Amino acid sequence: MGPKTAKVYDTLRARLASGEFRAGDKLPSERTLVEELGIGRTALRQVLARLVSEGSLEVRGRSSYRVPGAVSVAPPEGLEPWRIHGERDLYVNRWVKLQLWDVEPPGIERFEHHVVKLHHVAITAILDEQDRVLMMWRYRFVPQQWGWELPGGIVDEGEDPADTALREVVEETGWQPKELEHVVTYQPMIGMVDSPHEIFVGHGAEQVGSPTDLEEAGHIEWVPLADIPGLMSRGELMGSGTLVALLHILANRGRYGLTPAR
């Protein structure tokens, strides 16, 4: 690619990464892009072909480019949710709340079900230009195990999860990302535990100091993404947030400008 073609590639990749186009959206026509970006059609097709090879775009029909990830399955209709008749606290402290809920599934006799409420959490995977992710080697006393984790922590009341993600990365690693992207919000144990987990991906980190959270900090290292499958098979990736974030990155390598998997 020449300098102008490379610039158009960077522009389109940034627009796709920013969320300007949602999953399933169709890109403007080649004619529109040629006029808008000031590039010839042959050079534009070279850029689009590269984005397709990276997984950032997919081709539908002749010269029709769409953002991948569209969903074809629709949720079923006519189903009833469980009814919640009441709830009561069994144990409460600053870290955990144990409750008993009176619930009634459709067509089934009502019963009491334990519910555990934990904190809202934000976890971040920071990527660098060498296809590496910032991780910590830590000991967790509950499973009595050493392993690799991504930085993360509790979202304070009234705090934006993105601010939590940034704060925790700096406190636990001493590195500060220049930008963060929210990936997903999920529940790690949906059947009994309420603890929303927010996953972020960050880029362009610079070292701004040493870790200040000595309780949470561990050995800090930039881990090659190529090592992730091996670390997973050895059971050395700890916590669902770490796994969700890393699996998302590996499944969307083209979106993040990473080297395609071999």
Side-chain angles (χ1 to χ4, degrees):
M1 283 188 179
K4 187 172 184 179
T5 306
K7 183 178 180 180
V8 169
Y9 165 77
D10 290 337
T11 298
L12 283 178
R13 190 158 68 89
R15 289 174 66 181
L16 291 168
S18 72
E20 176 181 344
F21 301 100
R22 304 178 66 178
D25 282 356
K26 183 179 178 181
L27 249 60
S29 67
E30 287 186 355
R31 177 181 295 180
T32 299
L33 290 174
V34 164
E35 296 175 354
E36 180 181 340
L37 300 171
I39 189 174
R41 181 161 294 190
T42 300
L44 174 65
R45 287 178 175 174
Q46 182 183 2
V47 170
L48 295 173
R50 180 175 175 182
L51 291 170
V52 170
S53 70
E54 293 173 345
S56 299
L57 288 176
E58 61 185 16
V59 183
R60 297 281 186 89
R62 183 179 179 182
S63 302
S64 178
Y65 297 88
R66 296 179 184 271
V67 179
V71 177
S72 60
V73 63
E77 299 180 355
L79 300 180
E80 297 181 15
W82 290 23
R83 295 183 61 188
I84 301 172
H85 296 282
E87 59 187 61
R88 58 190 175 94
D89 295 341
L90 300 180
Y91 174 79
V92 179
N93 70 14
R94 60 176 296 198
W95 301 109
V96 62
K97 178 187 291 187
L98 174 61
Q99 297 181 312
L100 205 57
W101 287 25
D102 181 2
V103 297
E104 183 181 2
I108 300 177
E109 186 176 351
R110 59 196 282 187
F111 60 91
E112 289 189 316
H113 192 290
H114 285 88
V115 174
V116 179
K117 287 185 173 288
L118 303 178
H119 286 287
H120 190 179
V121 175
I123 299 162
T124 308
I126 307 297
L127 301 173
D128 71 0
E129 296 180 351
Q130 300 179 52
D131 290 4
R132 300 180 303 179
V133 61
L134 185 63
M135 302 192 75
M136 303 178 297
W137 178 257
R138 298 186 55 190
Y139 182 77
R140 288 296 190 179
F141 73 90
V142 175
Q144 301 180 45
Q145 178 183 345
W146 289 92
W148 293 102
E149 284 186 29
L150 297 175
I154 295 171
V155 179
D156 292 336
E157 186 175 355
E159 185 178 30
D160 188 311
D163 293 335
T164 306
L166 179 61
R167 170 173 55 79
E168 290 291 339
V169 171
V170 175
E171 290 179 357
E172 295 184 356
T173 71
W175 289 79
Q176 180 171 318
K178 294 180 180 178
E179 58 182 78
L180 289 178
E181 171 197 358
H182 182 261
V183 172
V184 68
T185 302
Y186 78 99
Q187 292 274 7
M189 296 180 64
I190 196 66
M192 183 177 290
V193 178
D194 178 16
S195 177
H197 280 42
E198 311 274 1
I199 302 299
F200 292 85
V201 174
H203 308 271
E206 60 179 354
Q207 194 166 17
V208 296
S210 299
T212 57
D213 191 339
L214 299 181
E215 179 183 348
E216 295 290 339
H219 170 75
I220 300 163
E221 188 164 331
W222 287 95
V223 177
L225 287 171
D227 288 354
I228 298 305
L231 294 174
M232 184 182 301
S233 66
R234 287 160 51 174
E236 292 183 3
L237 298 180
M238 295 200 297
S240 64
T242 292
L243 288 166
V244 168
L246 294 177
L247 289 173
H248 165 79
I249 290 169
L250 293 180
N252 295 273
R253 299 182 70 96
R255 177 180 177 184
Y256 295 112
L258 303 171
T259 303
R262 295 182 179 179

